[in-house]
């Protein structure tokens, strides 16, 4: 995992000023911390709201679900861009060498166009979902088969596809920054360049994208390796127009506040960027809103595609990562996204998302490394405004982060860890915010406490008998 990039903290306020602010903002009860209702949307659907800034908000569409009226009703109403989830991949479009089959691909394409939506093409050259005949090839024969496939598919849709994911997932996971060891890579290190040059000749008007996952965090080796390739391509005149970030955010690959830095850094190379396969474990409204705002902040961000319509349509359905539940109902994350697209920069529905700053340290309650894993102990860290420092008070007395994780006491005695855990309504997840600045666990009666009266980055947070020390006093900013 990469280190957590932090902007410089703002100026520290004096103790007297902090305490005055504490009183003025009336922290006597958790109820006073509730957020105001969300602003009235300027547009009522995701696609229309995104179009206000010249962007799209799309979804991956499965050909086999186009007979589901609820599915198509939501997709038609909400999205202005479509990516074929599987129907344009290699095994679907060329099941036998030289024999192309566009039946399902055309079904998705025609549905999209007939309903006034643009189409992203996905994907032309990939190590996965290759038909058996391609898997058996190697060397120059495989390289020629790759070129023939690109030419055949792009000729069929020439002039009708807005963006193509020309090459997909060509870099290895982990810290090496190396290329993935695939049959395509073994044809020679220039295979990606060859694919892009072939695609440009096949359809000069289409935007040509490189697409990958786990490239969201600017500090990761894989991100830097893709960046180096794109920079090299631009310097040498290799035709690449855009980079797609799949952005499958989950416990193993969480959203990081440097995501905007990643998007902007690639854009600064002279390519467009797109969020191509977005889903977020647990569908945190705050994280969804942050992703949208990051795209909106980067001029060359073309738009966002969520990878599916309802949770039950997701390839990770057990993580409930999408904007609609299995019954087709809008989730809180939907409202957060719509408000962000409409230019409402207030906190997503459900809370104020403010920071909790220690009076003694001037540092904020922070989830280390933006982890979303249950049991992660909270620490003090320089305040920087990331989602891992935004705490939402609920009417139930919870303090939530990421929308679905609660501040949680792992015990009732002195020294008990204070951690994050999936919200479940227990008294160990309920807190009283007092007018003197202390935060007391409802179950234990003990105070939120910086271990050892520490003030440094990384100081852990625990429960301890209330002493009114500055390491137990907090203010929301």
């Amino acid at each position: 995992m990469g280190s957590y990039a932090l902007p410089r903290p703002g100026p520290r306020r004096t103790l007297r000023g902090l305490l005055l602010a504490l009183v003025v903002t009336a922290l006597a009860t958790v109820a006073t911390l509730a957020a105001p209702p969300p602003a009235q949307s300027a547009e009522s659907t995701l696609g229309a709201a995104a179009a206000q800034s010249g962007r799209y908000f799309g979804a991956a569409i499965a050909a086999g679900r186009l007979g589901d009226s609820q599915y198509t009703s939501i997709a038609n109403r909400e999205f202005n861009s479509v990516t074929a989830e599987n129907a344009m991949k290699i095994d679907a479009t060329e099941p036998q060498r030289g024999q192309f089959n566009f039946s399902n691909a055309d079904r998705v394409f025609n549905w999209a166009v007939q309903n006034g939506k643009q189409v992203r093409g996905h994907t032309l050259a990939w190590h996965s979902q290759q038909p058996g005949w391609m898997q058996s090839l190697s060397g120059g024969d495989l390289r020629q088969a790759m070129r023939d496939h690109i030419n055949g598919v792009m000729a069929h849709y020439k002039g009708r596809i807005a963006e193509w994911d020309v090459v997909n997932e060509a870099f290895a996971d982990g810290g090496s920054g190396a290329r993935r060891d695939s049959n395509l890579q073994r044809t020679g290190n220039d295979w990606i360049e060859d694919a892009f040059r072939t695609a440009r000749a096949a359809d000069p008007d289409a935007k040509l994208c490189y697409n990958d996952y786990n490239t969201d965090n600017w500090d990761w080796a894989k991100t830097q390796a893709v960046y180096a390739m794109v920079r090299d391509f631009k310097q040498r005149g290799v035709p690449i127009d855009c980079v797609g970030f799949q952005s499958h955010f989950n416990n193993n690959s969480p959203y990081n506040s440097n995501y905007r830095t990643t998007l902007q850094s690639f854009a600064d190379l002279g390519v467009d960027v797109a969020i191509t396969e977005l889903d977020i474990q647990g569908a945190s409204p705050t994280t969804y809103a942050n992703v949208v705002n990051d795209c909106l902040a980067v001029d060359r961000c073309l738009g966002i595609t969520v990878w599916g319509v309802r949770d039950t349509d997701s390839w990770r359905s057990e993580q409930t990562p999408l904007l609609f539940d299995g019954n087709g109902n809008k989730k809180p994350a939907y409202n957060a996204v719509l408000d962000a697209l409409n230019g409402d920069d207030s906190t997503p529905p459900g809370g104020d998302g403010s920071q909790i700053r220690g009076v003694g340290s001037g540092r904020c309650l922070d989830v280390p490394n933006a982890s979303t894993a249950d049991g992660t102990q909270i620490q003090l860290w320089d305040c920087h405004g990331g989602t891992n420092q935004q705490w939402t008070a609920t009417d139930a007395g919870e303090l939530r982060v990421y929308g679905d994780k609660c501040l949680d006491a792992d015990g009732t005695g002195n020294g008990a860890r204070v951690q994050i855990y999936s919200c479940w309504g227990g008294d160990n997840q309920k807190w009283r915010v007092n007018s003197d600045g202390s935060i007391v666990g409802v179950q234990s009666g003990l105070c939120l406490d910086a271990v050892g009266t520490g003030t440094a980055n990384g100081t852990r947070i625990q429960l301890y008998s209330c002493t009114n020390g500055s390491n137990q006093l907090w203010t929301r900013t």
Side-chain angles (χ1 to χ4, degrees), residues 97 139-151 194:
R97 189 171 189 176
D141 198 18
L142 175 59
R143 179 69 69 90
Q144 187 58 49
M146 178 193 77
R147 296 188 192 111
D148 292 344
H149 180 78
I150 292 171
N151 283 322
D194 194 350

Side-chain angles (χ1 to χ4, degrees), residues 171 177 214-215 217-231 262 265-266:
F171 284 80
N214 283 356
T215 54
N217 188 318
W218 180 243
D219 296 325
W220 286 353
K222 187 174 181 180
T223 308
Q224 292 299 315
V226 174
Y227 178 85
M229 179 191 72
V230 175
R231 180 178 58 196
T262 302
S265 296
F266 276 86

Side-chain angles (χ1 to χ4, degrees), residues 115-190:
N115 287 286
K117 306 176 192 313
Q118 72 168 42
V119 179
R120 295 191 74 258
H122 176 79
T123 180
L124 296 170
W126 190 24
H127 70 276
S128 186
Q129 289 185 239
Q130 293 179 359
W133 66 264
M134 182 175 279
Q135 295 176 38
S136 69
L137 302 181
S138 61
D141 198 18
L142 175 59
R143 179 69 69 90
Q144 187 58 49
M146 178 193 77
R147 296 188 192 111
D148 292 344
H149 180 78
I150 292 171
N151 283 322
V153 175
M154 294 191 78
H156 182 77
Y157 292 108
K158 186 173 183 179
R160 299 187 292 162
I161 295 286
E163 305 165 33
W164 272 107
D165 290 333
V166 177
V167 173
N168 200 47
E169 300 174 3
F171 284 80
D173 291 323
S176 69
R179 294 279 186 90
R180 181 187 296 275
D181 181 22
S182 69
N183 60 349
L184 290 167
Q185 178 64 28
R186 291 191 290 273
T187 69
N189 204 51
D190 65 338

